[in-house]
């Protein structure tokens, strides 16, 4: 390093130290930042929209809330809060209506940003349960979510996430088939109906509904919308009666003169369910066993329901059964639970809306390798008898955590405590403690050893209860043993705590994953049997010979089945137009798209589609050999233009209605697919970076969410003082020689925010050697040279523990965190990225986008038919349906990042989060693809490493590699006959 650079570096370090010293001080020797001195540190003239942050107003759990009122009574009186008595109604589209959806009297239509408030008087103080009567009007196909406040305050943290289910059923009464004889997965559609449900925990951690304490006098109760519109008829405060035991139930039925009819045996196929709480609970096709009906070793037949999709607490499936005579009947289920070992799946059974007796609150289904006929019976193997009325009866089974619920709550509370201790230790030692230094963490964190000892005992107690429930030791309690053992060792020898910090972090991360996995309670059902007490229920089709014959026959058919083709296949002999489409994603996505094609596209256009699930690495050789498809889906941003340069992709801008189709997308989404005067793909998905932050940790540190990069510099000094990190997107390296690496997203945003661009003169030259390009590169590398940010990390895990409480990541990370880290629900948010302040005081938050597209190959025989398919696929209706189907199929983690502007608005995002997403989309810019442009991302990384690792001055490193980029662009333009 030359003397001038050394002086510049020292001046910069002095400046950083001065800024950091002005905003923080060490408290009690722990290195924590005083909140009161930092509360106004990061103020900005442009504040990002603030969330309601309800969970931060009261972090008390429901169990802690109930401990305060354990002596309170449960009054017998009921209080009805109907629509006519609402004292306050706010929100666009919210109004009081009469006789809504077939009901009599008044109801309240509430939108996604509504707030309802009732004022009422309580005569008798005590604990009341609350029931809601509602109608789920059309929304975005997700569960309805509200927050409940009492007297303007959140009673406990779980009340911030009150959930009300929608009702779903098969779109068509009969199962459809493709032209090869395979059943098609039934499409789901909403069948809304008036429902009454008691308010309960949406995570399933509490079996019973919530009880709320009201003192004598006047109170207010508020419903604040978080997601989806709904019609509210009334709320009722009342007492909840626990179900009686089976002995009491049976005695009551005997005294009422109810007996068991003779000669009744009803078999009900479980896939013929009448209603479900989620579109994920569609009928399944199981070819793994001859114990299912209908069965075929060759064809795919819809024959079961549930499976891994039916695993989340609160999900329910409902069946209707016609009974010839009122009486007492046996129940049996042909089920398969080969999903979880060591524990069992639990279900709650209701008949005609009521739990018949206490034992049906927790029905265990233990691990079995195959299908098992499960007759509902007691420990003495005597079948339970259920009272069914003559005519239609409704049987519902709901996922519940049962006896595991309190244990899961204990582990979650323990994890929160352990993560809090980890952050405190981290503030003293950092992520890489000096092994020869004595940090005295047990002295500087006074309650550390006490917390470790208490949590070790708690985990041991939970582990012992788990072993008792699962009737033996298994992998479910192994991690609890490991964690408690490590805590004991740290208590016995506190000096080793810093050295054990990495293992401690790994184990707490494992506890988080354990929490996620143990909540999952899958169960697959083939059939349901209702029988009088004189009938015998047999287990058909499960003999060893049937199983062996099944394996032989399915092996034989495997040589003749075409697994690449999805759904109906058009043969060459068929008349009409045909399009061949390749897709490289999973089979679930391909099956969904094919069913949508057969349901809407082909009937409307008369065009047959052969959809093939193909590894997309074979697209290039197939195209070169003339065996490629007409349309290829889910292509990376770089592929369409690179194919176009070689006359392999068709120009879609020549179609007369192209401009109308292009209006579906933001201009930035089309930039990567535009080359010379043509456009060579339509956008399917579009993603970009957002700023993710932990609300609770920033509150602890007294920090605001940064709005500009200047504020980020100040925030970095505070995080560094507390040994925490700021996350920037990873510096991606090629996974194989020659792989196209897109330009780093952080450099891209810094470049765009200062009005820079990647190429000049219409793509003839790289513009990275401009002063703006060099300054952006210098700013990017300084994050790593001056602030020592990490280049490789697991953002989700470090964000979860609070070690990295703020960072920039692709907005689809939201989906991952929603599922991956349920224990920090409500404690984090995301917003637009920090920007660069302009001369006029405004903030430029420009950010580069990525995504995928659908392209038409030049070799397509019927380009008009291929264009019709591309228009259909990228249309609003199709994208919305596919997005909802994917989320219904695989949950919130699969939320689809569609590029269609209108479709994105109709996907099930919470209102507050979608507003942030929309604000980010306003700043998105696309990165153009040019001949030789694949060198840009590759050599940008090379220049980065030469600066950060090689300690070469940023300008010099970038200028050297820009020359390689310029040479490649010139060479490729010459090769393709373009002007230089």
């Amino acid at each position: 390093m030359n003397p001038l650079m050394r002086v510049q570096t020292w001046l910069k370090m002095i400046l950083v130290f001065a800024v950091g010293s002005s905003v923080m001080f060490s408290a009690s020797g722990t290195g924590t930042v005083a909140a009161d001195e930092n509360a106004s540190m990061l103020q900005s003239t442009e504040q990002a929209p603030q969330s309601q942050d309800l969970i931060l107003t009261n972090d008390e759990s429901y169990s802690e809330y109930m401990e305060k009122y354990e002596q309170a009574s449960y009054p017998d009186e009921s209080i009805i809060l109907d629509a006519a008595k609402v004292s306050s109604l706010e929100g666009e589209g919210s109004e009081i209506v009469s006789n809504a959806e077939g009901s009599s009297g008044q109801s309240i239509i509430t939108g996604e940003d509504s707030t309802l408030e009732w004022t009422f008087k309580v005569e008798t103080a005590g604990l009341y349960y609350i029931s809601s009567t509602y109608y789920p009007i059309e929304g975005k196909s997700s569960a309805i979510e509200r927050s409940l406040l009492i007297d303007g305050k959140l009673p406990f943290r779980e009340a911030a996430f009150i959930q009300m289910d929608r009702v779903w059923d098969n779109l068509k009464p009969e199962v459809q088939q493709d032209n090869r004889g395979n059943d098609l997965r039934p499409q789901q559609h909403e069948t809304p109906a008036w429902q009454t449900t008691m308010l309960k925990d949406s995570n399933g951690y509490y079996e019973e509904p919530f009880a709320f304490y009201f003192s004598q006098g006047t109170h207010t109760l508020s419903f604040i919308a978080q997601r989806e519109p709904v019609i509210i008829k009334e709320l009722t405060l009342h007492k909840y009666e626990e179900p009686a035991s089976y002995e009491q139930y049976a005695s009551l039925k005997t005294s009422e003169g109810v007996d068991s009819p003779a000669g009744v045996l009803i078999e009900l196929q479980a896939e013929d369910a009448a209603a479900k709480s989620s579109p994920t609970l569609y009928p399944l096709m199981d070819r793994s066993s001859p114990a299912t009906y209908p069965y075929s070793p060759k064809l795919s037949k819809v024959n079961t329901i549930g499976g891994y999709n039916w695993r989340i607490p609160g999900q329910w499936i409902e069946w209707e059964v016609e009974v010839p005579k009122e009486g007492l009947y046996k129940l049996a289920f042909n089920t398969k639970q080969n999903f979880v070992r060591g524990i069992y799946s639990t279900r709650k059974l209701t008949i005609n809306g009521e739990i018949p007796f206490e034992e049906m609150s927790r029905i265990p289904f233990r691990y079995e390798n195959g299908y098992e006929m499960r007759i509902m019976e007691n420990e003495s193997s005597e079948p339970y008898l259920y009272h069914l009325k003559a005519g239609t009866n409704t049987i519902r089974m709901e996922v519940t955590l049962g006896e595991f619920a309190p244990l899961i709550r204990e582990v979650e509370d323990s994890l929160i405590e352990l993560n809090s201790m980890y952050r405190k230790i981290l503030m003293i030692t950092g992520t890489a403690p000096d092994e020869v230094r004595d940090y005295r963490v047990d002295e500087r964190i006074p309650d550390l050893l006490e917390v470790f000892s208490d949590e070790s005992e708690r985990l041991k107690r939970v582990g012992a209860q788990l072993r008792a429930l699962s009737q033996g030791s298994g992998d479910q309690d192994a991690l609890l043993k490991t964690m408690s053992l490590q805590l004991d060792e740290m208590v016995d020898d506190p000096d080793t705590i810093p050295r054990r910090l990495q293992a401690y972090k790994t184990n707490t991360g494992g506890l988080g994953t354990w929490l996620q996995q143990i909540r999952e309670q899958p169960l697959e059902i083939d059939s349901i049997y209702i029988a009088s007490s004189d009938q015998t229920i047999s287990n058909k089709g499960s003999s060893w010979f049937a199983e062996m014959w099944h394996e032989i026959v399915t092996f034989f058919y495997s040589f003749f089945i075409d697994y690449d083709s999805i759904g109906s296949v058009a043969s060459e002999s068929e008349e009409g137009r045909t399009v061949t489409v390749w897709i490289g994603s999973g089979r679930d996505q391909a099956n969904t798209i094919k069913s949508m094609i057969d349901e809407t596209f082909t009937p409307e256009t008369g065009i047959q589609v052969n959809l093939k699930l193909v590894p997309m690495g074979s697209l290039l050789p197939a195209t070169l050999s003339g065996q490629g498809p007409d349309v290829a889906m889910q292509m990376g941003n770089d592929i369409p233009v690179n194919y176009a340069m070689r006359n392999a992709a068709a120009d879609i801008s020549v179609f007369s209605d192209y401009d109308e189709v292009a209006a579906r997308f933001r201009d930035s989404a089309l930039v990567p697919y535009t080359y010379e005067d043509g456009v060579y793909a339509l956008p399917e998905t579009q993603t970009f970076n957002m700023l993710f932050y932990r609300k609770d940790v920033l509150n602890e540190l007294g920090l605001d969410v940064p709005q500009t990069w200047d504020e980020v510099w100040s925030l970095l000094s505070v995080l560094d003082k507390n040994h925490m990190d700021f996350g920037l997107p990873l510096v991606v390296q090629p996974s194989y020689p020659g792989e196209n690496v897109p330009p780093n997203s952080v450099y891209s945003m810094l470049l765009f925010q200062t009005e820079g661009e990647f190429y000049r003169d219409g793509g003839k030259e790289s513009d990275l050697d401009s002063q703006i390009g060099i300054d952006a590169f210098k700013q990017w590398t300084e994050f790593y040279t001056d602030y020592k940010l990490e280049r490789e990390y697991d953002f989700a895990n470090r964000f979860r523990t609070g070690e990295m409480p703020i960072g920039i990541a692709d907005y689809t990370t939201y989906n991952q965190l929603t599922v991956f880290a349920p224990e920090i629900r409500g404690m984090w948010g995301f917003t637009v990225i920090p920007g660069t302040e302009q001369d006029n005081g405004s903030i430029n938050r420009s950010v580069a986008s990525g995504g995928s597209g659908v392209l038409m190959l030049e070799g397509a025989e019927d380009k008009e038919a291929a264009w019709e398919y591309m228009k259909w696929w990228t249309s609003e209706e199709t994208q919305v349906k596919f997005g909802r189907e994917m989320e219904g199929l695989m949950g919130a983690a699969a939320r689809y990042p569609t590029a269609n502007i209108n479709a994105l608005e109709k996907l099930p995002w919470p209102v507050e989060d979608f507003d942030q997403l929309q604000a980010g989309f306003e700043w998105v810019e696309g990165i153009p693809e040019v001949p030789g442009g694949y060198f840009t991302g590759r050599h940008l990384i090379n220049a980065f490493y030469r600066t950060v690792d090689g300690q070469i001055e940023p300008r010099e490193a970038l200028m050297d590699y820009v020359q390689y980029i310029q040479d490649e662009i010139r060479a490729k333009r010459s090769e393709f006959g373009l002007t230089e």
Side-chain angles (χ1 to χ4, degrees):
M1 182 182 293
N2 61 50
L4 179 59
M5 289 177 60
R6 188 174 291 112
V7 170
Q8 290 174 336
T9 301
W10 276 104
L11 287 174
K12 187 172 296 181
M13 292 176 66
I14 292 171
L15 177 61
V16 170
F17 177 77
V19 172
S21 300
S22 68
V23 296
M24 61 188 174
F25 73 96
S26 177
S28 303
T30 64
T32 57
V33 177
D36 57 345
E37 293 200 5
N38 291 318
S40 59
M41 185 190 77
L42 299 178
Q43 300 300 321
S44 171
T45 57
E46 182 186 340
Q47 291 291 332
Q50 295 299 307
S51 69
Q52 297 171 26
D53 295 340
L54 284 173
I55 198 171
L56 299 182
T57 65
N58 187 359
D59 194 35
E60 183 179 67
S61 70
Y62 177 65
S63 57
E64 293 170 330
Y65 175 82
M66 289 300 290
E67 285 178 6
K68 294 192 305 184
Y69 301 109
E70 60 182 353
Q71 302 301 323
S73 63
Y74 293 85
D76 290 327
E77 66 183 74
S78 295
I79 303 172
I80 299 176
L81 309 178
D82 60 34
K85 294 181 181 178
V86 66
S87 56
S88 176
L89 175 58
E90 301 176 3
E92 183 179 353
S94 299
E95 59 179 331
I96 297 177
V97 295
S98 298
N99 305 325
E101 302 296 340
S103 69
S104 60
Q106 292 184 316
S107 303
I108 311 171
I109 297 178
T110 66
E112 288 192 308
D113 61 349
S114 64
T115 299
L116 302 180
E117 185 173 282
W118 288 268
T119 302
F120 59 99
K121 190 173 182 179
V122 175
E123 298 293 343
T124 306
L127 290 164
Y128 292 82
Y129 296 89
I130 300 179
S131 292
S132 171
T133 300
Y134 69 97
Y135 186 92
I137 56 178
E138 183 178 357
K140 299 177 181 178
S141 299
S142 65
I144 300 151
E145 194 171 284
R146 295 293 185 267
S147 298
L148 183 143
L149 304 185
I150 295 175
D151 298 330
K153 297 179 180 179
L154 190 71
F156 43 85
R157 65 172 179 246
E158 290 86 356
F161 309 105
I162 300 296
Q163 187 169 296
M164 292 177 279
D165 294 325
R166 295 181 177 275
V167 182
W168 299 83
D169 193 9
N170 296 345
L171 179 63
K172 297 181 180 180
E174 302 295 331
V175 176
Q176 307 297 302
Q177 295 181 333
D178 62 25
N179 61 4
R180 295 184 293 167
N182 295 303
D183 287 352
L184 299 174
R185 176 171 64 84
Q187 297 291 312
Q188 302 300 294
H189 76 132
E190 192 175 352
T191 55
W194 283 102
Q195 300 177 72
T196 298
T197 184
M198 297 180 70
L199 306 190
K200 59 184 180 180
D201 180 31
S202 60
N203 284 324
Y205 289 169
Y206 300 90
E207 289 185 272
E208 294 184 358
F210 288 142
F212 301 86
Y213 180 79
F214 292 91
S215 61
Q216 185 179 19
T218 302
H219 294 276
T220 61
L221 189 150
S222 305
F223 246 19
I224 300 176
Q226 301 294 344
R227 191 196 321 236
E228 295 284 31
V230 67
I231 300 178
I232 301 290
K233 177 72 173 175
E234 64 183 24
L235 298 183
T236 305
L237 284 64
H238 59 92
K239 188 176 181 179
Y240 172 66
E241 296 293 342
E242 294 280 350
S245 67
Y246 179 68
E247 289 184 1
Q248 294 170 318
Y249 175 83
S251 176
L252 175 64
K253 297 305 172 185
T254 300
S255 66
E256 292 176 350
V258 182
D259 58 5
S260 179
V264 178
L265 177 60
I266 303 171
E267 181 179 357
L268 180 67
Q269 293 304 310
E271 62 271 18
D272 296 331
K276 313 110 178 178
S277 63
S278 168
T280 61
L281 303 178
Y282 50 82
L284 303 175
M285 307 173 197
D286 189 349
R287 294 176 57 213
S288 66
S289 170
T292 60
Y293 179 84
Y295 163 75
S296 172
K298 175 184 178 183
L299 302 174
S300 296
K301 292 295 181 182
V302 169
N303 50 17
T304 67
I305 198 168
Y308 186 70
N309 294 347
W310 193 27
R311 68 189 187 279
I312 306 301
Q315 289 182 328
W316 52 263
I317 302 176
E318 197 170 84
W319 297 269
E320 291 182 351
V321 57
E322 292 289 332
V323 175
K325 183 180 180 182
E326 181 180 8
L328 298 175
Y329 294 87
K330 296 187 294 186
L331 284 182
F333 298 84
N334 189 24
T335 66
K336 181 172 70 173
Q337 201 287 89
N338 64 346
F339 303 93
V340 290
R341 289 179 180 269
I343 62 172
Y344 48 81
S345 291
T346 310
R347 292 295 182 272
K348 176 174 70 176
L349 185 143
T350 62
I351 296 177
N352 299 324
E354 295 182 356
I355 302 173
F357 42 87
E358 183 183 3
E359 287 80 355
M360 292 298 98
S361 298
R362 302 173 175 178
I363 307 173
F365 291 87
R366 299 188 181 276
Y367 182 90
E368 290 288 341
N369 191 41
Y371 282 90
E372 175 194 26
M373 184 62 68
R374 175 66 192 276
I375 300 174
M376 298 292 101
E377 56 190 16
N378 59 21
E379 295 178 354
S380 302
S381 299
E382 295 179 359
Y384 291 124
L385 296 178
Y386 303 81
H387 180 207
L388 301 178
K389 64 184 181 181
T392 303
N393 291 265
T394 300
I395 299 174
R396 175 184 291 192
M397 292 189 75
E398 179 180 329
V399 182
T400 177
L401 295 176
E403 295 173 300
F404 297 105
L407 306 184
I408 295 173
R409 292 201 309 268
E410 290 276 347
V411 175
E412 178 169 327
D413 291 343
S414 179
L415 178 61
I416 292 173
E417 286 292 330
L418 293 175
N419 278 338
S420 177
M421 287 298 115
Y422 174 72
R423 292 197 298 273
K424 290 181 180 180
I425 298 171
L426 192 70
M427 291 175 181
I428 299 172
T429 67
T431 55
D434 187 340
E435 293 189 3
V436 299
R437 179 178 172 183
D438 184 5
Y439 290 95
R440 305 192 310 278
V441 292
D442 56 320
E443 298 176 14
R444 300 172 74 179
I445 308 176
D447 60 340
L448 179 65
L449 298 186
E450 181 182 354
V451 170
F452 279 177
S453 179
D454 291 345
E455 297 310 321
S456 174
E457 291 302 317
R458 185 186 340 213
L459 294 176
K460 289 175 183 175
R461 185 171 64 252
V462 170
Q465 291 174 291
L466 268 178
R467 289 191 292 274
L469 290 176
S470 58
Q471 301 177 356
S473 182
D475 57 353
Q476 295 297 336
D477 68 319
L479 183 61
L480 303 184
K481 290 180 183 177
T482 302
M483 188 79 244
S484 62
L485 176 63
Q486 184 184 43
L487 292 174
D488 287 341
E489 292 173 346
M490 294 165 85
V491 171
D492 293 340
D493 193 354
D495 292 340
T496 65
I497 290 177
R499 295 202 301 271
R500 298 175 185 271
L501 198 58
Q502 184 59 42
Y504 177 86
K505 174 188 170 184
T506 301
N507 287 334
T508 53
L511 273 185
T513 304
W514 182 92
L515 278 173
Q516 177 189 347
Q517 292 175 344
I518 200 170
R519 287 183 68 242
E520 298 178 346
Q521 306 270 311
L523 178 68
E524 193 164 357
I525 301 182
D526 166 61
S527 54
I528 304 171
Y529 295 86
I530 300 93
S532 52
S533 57
D534 63 328
Q535 295 294 304
T536 301
I537 302 174
S538 63
N539 187 1
K540 299 180 295 183
S542 59
S543 67
W544 71 268
F545 178 79
E547 295 287 347
M548 181 184 68
W549 181 249
H550 164 76
E551 296 296 334
I552 294 172
V553 175
T554 52
F555 175 74
F556 171 77
Y557 278 124
S558 68
F559 292 98
F560 306 100
I561 298 175
D562 180 6
Y563 293 101
D564 291 336
S565 297
I566 305 294
S568 297
V569 177
S571 64
E572 295 182 0
S573 61
E574 289 185 75
E575 297 182 1
R577 306 163 72 184
T578 302
V579 176
T580 299
V581 179
W582 282 12
I583 183 173
S585 60
R587 184 166 291 274
D588 286 333
Q589 289 90 332
N591 281 326
T592 298
I593 294 172
K594 182 57 177 173
S595 65
M596 292 168 60
I597 290 170
D598 293 340
E599 184 179 294
T600 59
F601 177 71
T602 299
E604 291 172 4
T605 64
I607 300 172
Q608 298 288 334
V609 177
N610 285 334
L611 184 67
K612 292 183 177 292
L613 186 60
V614 180
M616 296 313 289
S618 61
L619 179 62
L620 178 59
T623 302
L624 291 174
S625 63
Q627 302 298 315
D630 300 316
V631 175
M633 300 174 63
Q634 300 173 348
M635 296 289 98
N637 278 356
D638 61 303
I639 292 178
V641 166
N642 276 287
Y643 272 53
M645 297 171 192
R646 296 159 177 82
N647 298 318
D651 180 7
I652 58 176
S653 66
V654 301
F655 292 100
S656 59
D657 54 351
Y658 166 76
D659 290 337
E660 178 184 341
V661 174
R664 300 170 177 174
F665 317 102
R666 292 173 177 83
D667 292 339
S668 56
L670 290 163
V671 168
Y673 310 130
T674 304
Y675 172 64
E676 295 295 303
D677 296 324
V679 179
Y680 295 90
L682 289 179
E684 290 183 83
T685 63
Q686 187 177 20
T687 60
F688 59 93
N689 288 334
M690 296 281 284
L691 181 70
F692 291 79
Y693 60 96
R694 284 284 298 270
K695 302 173 185 177
D696 55 338
V697 179
L698 293 189
N699 280 356
E700 288 176 10
L701 299 177
L703 299 176
D704 291 332
V705 178
Q707 305 301 314
T708 67
W709 291 107
D710 289 337
E711 293 179 3
V712 171
W713 306 131
S714 300
L715 179 140
L716 285 172
S717 62
V718 179
L719 293 180
D720 184 63
K721 176 67 176 177
N722 291 282
H723 300 293
M724 294 181 178
D725 292 319
F726 184 94
L728 287 181
L730 306 182
V731 179
V732 180
Q733 301 186 53
S735 57
Y736 58 86
E739 181 188 12
N740 184 32
V741 177
N744 180 269
S745 59
V746 178
Y747 176 78
S748 301
M749 71 176 75
L750 294 174
L751 181 69
F752 288 150
Q753 288 178 8
T754 50
E755 305 299 330
E757 54 186 27
F758 278 92
Y759 306 102
R760 56 177 175 259
D761 298 335
K764 295 178 181 178
E765 291 184 314
S766 172
D767 199 46
L768 300 190
D769 56 1
S770 66
Q771 188 59 47
I772 292 177
I774 293 171
D775 290 344
F777 182 77
K778 183 172 180 289
Q779 186 179 359
W780 176 38
T781 55
E782 283 174 350
F783 281 113
Y784 302 91
T785 56
D786 295 357
Y787 295 94
K788 308 300 180 185
L789 295 190
E790 294 194 35
R791 285 174 266 169
E792 296 184 4
Y793 54 86
D794 185 336
F795 177 70
N797 265 316
R798 299 186 72 174
F799 187 76
R800 177 189 222 171
T801 62
E803 180 183 347
M804 186 175 282
I806 185 168
I808 293 174
D810 189 289
Y811 87 76
T812 56
T813 304
Y814 177 99
N815 307 336
Q816 179 187 6
L817 291 173
T818 300
V819 177
F820 176 71
E823 73 274 11
I824 59 171
R825 184 183 184 187
M827 299 180 188
W828 61 273
F830 76 153
T831 186
V832 290
I833 62 168
T836 301
E837 191 167 357
Q838 308 298 296
D839 294 337
N840 61 3
S842 64
I843 299 177
N844 186 332
R845 302 178 186 269
S846 297
V847 59
S849 69
S852 63
V854 53
L855 73 126
M856 182 193 307
L857 279 300
E858 182 63 36
E861 295 183 3
D862 190 342
K863 288 187 171 60
E864 290 289 343
W867 175 239
E868 288 297 323
Y869 176 81
M870 293 174 68
K871 290 192 298 182
W872 170 83
W873 170 240
T874 58
S875 66
E876 176 184 340
E877 295 78 10
T878 304
Q879 288 288 290
V880 168
K881 185 170 184 180
F882 178 74
R884 292 180 180 178
E885 285 279 330
M886 283 295 95
E887 191 159 348
L889 188 68
M890 295 183 282
R895 185 165 297 150
Y896 185 55
T898 179
N900 187 297
I901 300 171
N902 294 331
L904 185 70
E905 296 178 358
K906 295 183 179 180
L907 293 182
W909 285 90
V911 177
E912 183 180 323
D913 295 329
F914 182 72
D915 289 343
Q916 298 290 345
L917 192 62
Q918 284 286 70
F921 259 117
E922 298 302 317
W923 294 100
V924 173
E925 295 191 26
I927 301 176
E929 294 287 338
V930 301
Y934 50 81
F935 261 31
T936 300
R938 190 180 310 171
H939 286 305
L940 197 56
I941 289 178
N942 292 336
F944 172 89
Y945 281 115
R946 193 174 180 194
T947 300
V948 176
D949 293 340
Q951 299 184 343
I952 302 298
E953 201 273 331
R955 174 186 290 270
E956 179 182 341
L958 183 61
M959 293 296 287
D960 285 348
Y961 281 104
V962 167
Q963 190 57 50
Y964 290 113
I965 299 173
Q966 305 285 32
D967 291 344
E968 187 68 13
I969 290 176
R970 282 194 291 269
K972 286 300 174 186
R973 291 187 68 85
S974 175
E975 177 183 337
F976 298 134
L978 302 172
T979 58
E980 298 185 22

